[in-house]
Amino acid sequence: MPIQQTLSIIKPDATARNITGQIVAKLEEAGLRVVAQKRVKWKQTEARKFYAVHKDRPFYKDLVKFMTSGPIVLQVLEGNNAVSKNRKVMGATNPEEAAPGTIRAEFAENIERNSVHGSDSAENAGKEIRMCFRKPEIVG
Ligand code: IDP
Ligand code: MG
């Protein structure tokens, strides 16, 4: 299995409830390693750019508003098949459809305020990591 890196974000609903540690514990239990991490507050321009793939979706405006509403924790996760491993431990976008034990099943408030982001492909992981971190900030 290839060692990969993926981008993870702990979203404002989770930082507001002080559950970032519980989320990191789930990621680590799944076999993922946090090799970069920083807490930031995004400006509108940063959130718009990050979620540009969704710019024509009906939820885009609210998503940008939500992602700029409070602090977020950006992370690079590393491990075997990190992209799909992270998606699995995150659970489905809609917490009502997320498998038991997943981060979203346990912590998400609703389909928008769903506690975490995770890259959906190795290609997007590379792009998202480059958008959020400089090389020296990632220490494996
Ligand atoms: P993902 O985060 O599981 O990859 P995406 O489809 O990429 O899901 O959507 C990005 C984010 O946009 C979601 O995590 C969620 O915060 C928000 N979102 C997605 N679909 C909806 C929706 O139908 N209503 C409100 N917000 C949504
Ligand atoms: Mg997505």
Side-chain angles (χ1 to χ4, degrees):
M1 284 195 287
I3 295 280
Q4 281 182 330
Q5 292 185 339
T6 190
L7 188 86
S8 164
I9 306 178
I10 302 178
K11 295 183 177 182
D13 66 285
T15 59
R17 284 176 289 147
N18 200 28
I19 55 171
T20 63
Q22 291 181 67
I23 290 174
V24 173
K26 285 265 188 201
L27 299 170
E28 291 181 346
E29 278 161 23
L32 293 160
R33 186 171 281 273
V34 180
V35 295
Q37 179 165 270
K38 60 186 173 189
R39 185 171 169 112
V40 300
K41 190 160 183 290
W42 266 351
K43 306 254 185 274
Q44 292 262 332
T45 49
E46 293 167 295
R48 282 201 201 107
K49 185 179 168 207
F50 187 85
Y51 279 115
V53 286
H54 293 313
K55 66 180 185 323
D56 297 325
R57 305 286 284 279
F59 58 79
Y60 178 68
K61 219 174 144 209
D62 284 343
L63 177 61
V64 169
K65 202 167 163 192
F66 165 52
M67 290 300 290
T68 55
S69 68
I72 58 175
V73 179
L74 303 171
Q75 305 169 312
V76 179
L77 307 177
E78 189 175 272
N80 290 330
N81 291 318
V83 173
S84 63
K85 191 171 276 181
N86 184 40
R87 293 294 305 194
K88 194 165 174 208
V89 69
M90 287 165 60
T93 309
N94 183 349
E96 286 174 16
E97 292 162 14
T102 59
I103 291 168
R104 284 166 165 172
E106 292 210 1
F107 302 120
E109 294 181 347
N110 55 50
I111 193 169
E112 177 186 73
R113 301 173 64 86
N114 60 5
S115 305
V116 280
H117 165 86
S119 310
D120 61 7
S121 68
E123 192 192 342
N124 285 336
K127 285 185 195 161
E128 292 177 357
I129 289 168
R130 282 194 294 279
M131 235 187 275
C132 298
F133 288 93
R134 291 176 300 111
K135 270 240 168 76
E137 293 178 311
I138 304 168
V139 184

